Amino acid sequence: MQHHTVRTDWSVAEITELYHTPLLALVARASSVHTVHHSYRDIQCCTLLSVKTGGCPEDCAYCPQAARYATGVDVHKLMDVGTVTQAAQRAREAGSTRFCMGAAWREVRDNSDFDRVLEMVTQVRALGLEVCCTLGMVTADQARRLAEAGLTAYNHNIDTSSSFYGSVITTRAFDDRIDTIANVRAAGLSVCSGGIIGMGERDEDRIGFLHTLAGFDPHPESVPINVLVPVEGTPLADSAPVDPFDLVRMVACARILMPRSRVRLSAGRLSLSHEAQALAFLAGANSIFTGEKLLTTPNPGTDSDQDLFHKLGIVPTQPYSVEFSITESAE
Ligand code: SAM
Ligand code: DTB
Ligand code: SF4
């Protein structure tokens, strides 16, 4: 049956047709794919921590942490291991099963800071959490060392289509991102890669973005779909707000194209009503970032999310059972 097939050979024409499907029919199809591979009760809660903040040499037009934009972000050198493990412990107590550490680096360097991140990875993993890092570009050897330290997944977003990429970032190329993702995969790590909508991209760019992701073999296990959080001082500060239905459309397409992946409703949830988030869950989103803050920008707090889960009858993935969450049978 079509729904059981995981394909990596989707054509641009097929994805274009999918993308332009009337929304309710698209959501209905995504929902039927979702229930084959996942359970609606299972939404993974993840916690982000910026372990090294601001001062980044890159020019990503959306990013509050790029040194060249005056965004008022508090620049902070790499945190101590103890501070990070305490934050991970609190995240676990608050119900998170995955802890994601972000650093505002262009790339990882083989220095004492990297050694410290490796130690953070080992200690957070020892708490029984999935551990993800997003540290910029990595070599094959660095990815291997992260895997040896106990890392579960590495996040490296392609962000948008290859053709729109240069309008958003000029200090590195789309293919650099692809190379890092290949290094991560070669190290046996789980891949987390997605992107952002609301940066002025056209439908064709969203389709191209989905086409690149759906063409990875295997697909990224984790696909974050971010809605741009416009930050004062960045070139994209005055971007037009995203229509929540566009987010739902992207989630539904991601779910249909990459049936087994965890699709993460990531940045931008503050601009979404509970109803819009419910529709995104119906369309196949099955993870959120919880807690008051993403990396540097605000996020709905625990009260709001617990209220949302309660209203929808969602039981977040339980701590300590994370190994089983992806294979859990459908309802
Ligand atoms: N420096 C590393 C890198 O670029 O890969 C890791 C950190 S970076 C902040 C991680 C991701 O956050 C980016 O790839 C981007 O997709 C997302 N992001 C950053 N700023 C954002 C914003 N204002 N709104 C939505 N997503 C954002
Ligand atoms: C991802 O795709 N979104 C998260 C995570 N991966 C690292 C980061 C969102 C950051 C939003 C802007 C900020 O808070 O600085
Ligand atoms: Fe630096 Fe990452 Fe922000 Fe780009 S997205 S400016 S690489 S921290």
Side-chain angles (χ1 to χ4, degrees), residues 122-138:
T122 303
Q123 296 218 8
V124 174
R125 185 79 193 110
L127 294 172
L129 292 163
E130 292 184 2
V131 194
C132 180
C133 276
T134 182
L135 313 169
M137 294 183 271
V138 288

Side-chain angles (χ1 to χ4, degrees), residues 48 62-65 73 100-102 132 134 155-157 159 192-196 223-227 229 231 264 266-268 289 293-298:
L48 281 165
Y62 49 76
C63 189
Q65 303 199 65
V73 102
C100 311
M101 299 181 274
C132 180
T134 182
N155 165 257
H156 204 64
N157 290 340
D159 275 341
C192 173
S193 189
I196 308 179
V223 178
I225 306 289
N226 297 275
V227 174
V229 179
V231 177
R264 304 189 191 270
S266 304
F289 288 114
K293 209 154 84 161
L294 292 162
L295 289 172
T296 66
T297 63

Side-chain angles (χ1 to χ4, degrees), residues 227-246:
V227 174
L228 177 73
V229 179
V231 177
E232 207 51 51
T234 63
L236 293 179
D238 298 322
S239 302
V242 166
D243 183 334
F245 289 130
D246 285 1

Side-chain angles (χ1 to χ4, degrees), residues 63-227:
C63 189
Q65 303 199 65
R68 65 192 72 203
Y69 312 134
T71 61
V73 102
D74 276 334
V75 178
H76 201 286
K77 63 180 176 25
L78 188 65
M79 283 180 175
D80 295 327
V81 176
T83 311
V84 173
T85 47
Q86 278 167 20
Q89 220 144 9
R90 282 196 301 274
R92 189 181 69 169
E93 280 156 20
S96 275
T97 58
R98 182 159 165 131
F99 192 70
C100 311
M101 299 181 274
W105 287 332
R106 168 184 165 76
E107 76 241 304
V108 169
R109 305 257 172 86
D110 294 308
N111 58 18
S112 57
D113 273 2
F114 184 41
D115 295 339
R116 202 192 294 177
V117 170
L118 293 171
E119 184 56 29
M120 291 172 188
V121 167
T122 303
Q123 296 218 8
V124 174
R125 185 79 193 110
L127 294 172
L129 292 163
E130 292 184 2
V131 194
C132 180
C133 276
T134 182
L135 313 169
M137 294 183 271
V138 288
T139 64
D141 186 59
Q142 290 163 343
R144 186 188 51 76
R145 291 179 70 195
L146 283 162
E148 274 171 18
L151 193 73
T152 311
Y154 195 81
N155 165 257
H156 204 64
N157 290 340
I158 61 165
D159 275 341
T160 188
S161 68
S162 60
S163 47
F164 192 62
Y165 198 81
S167 314
V168 181
I169 300 150
T170 70
T171 49
R172 56 174 139 68
F174 190 76
D175 285 349
D176 295 330
R177 300 298 274 188
I178 304 290
D179 288 349
T180 284
I181 292 167
N183 291 340
V184 168
R185 183 57 86 195
L189 288 165
S190 169
V191 171
C192 173
S193 189
I196 308 179
I197 60 169
M199 303 191 293
E201 71 284 348
R202 299 161 309 153
D203 286 345
E204 289 80 348
D205 297 309
R206 292 181 185 173
I207 291 162
F209 159 74
L210 289 166
H211 182 246
T212 299
L213 289 178
F216 283 120
D217 188 9
H219 292 152
E221 286 76 8
S222 160
V223 178
I225 306 289
N226 297 275
V227 174

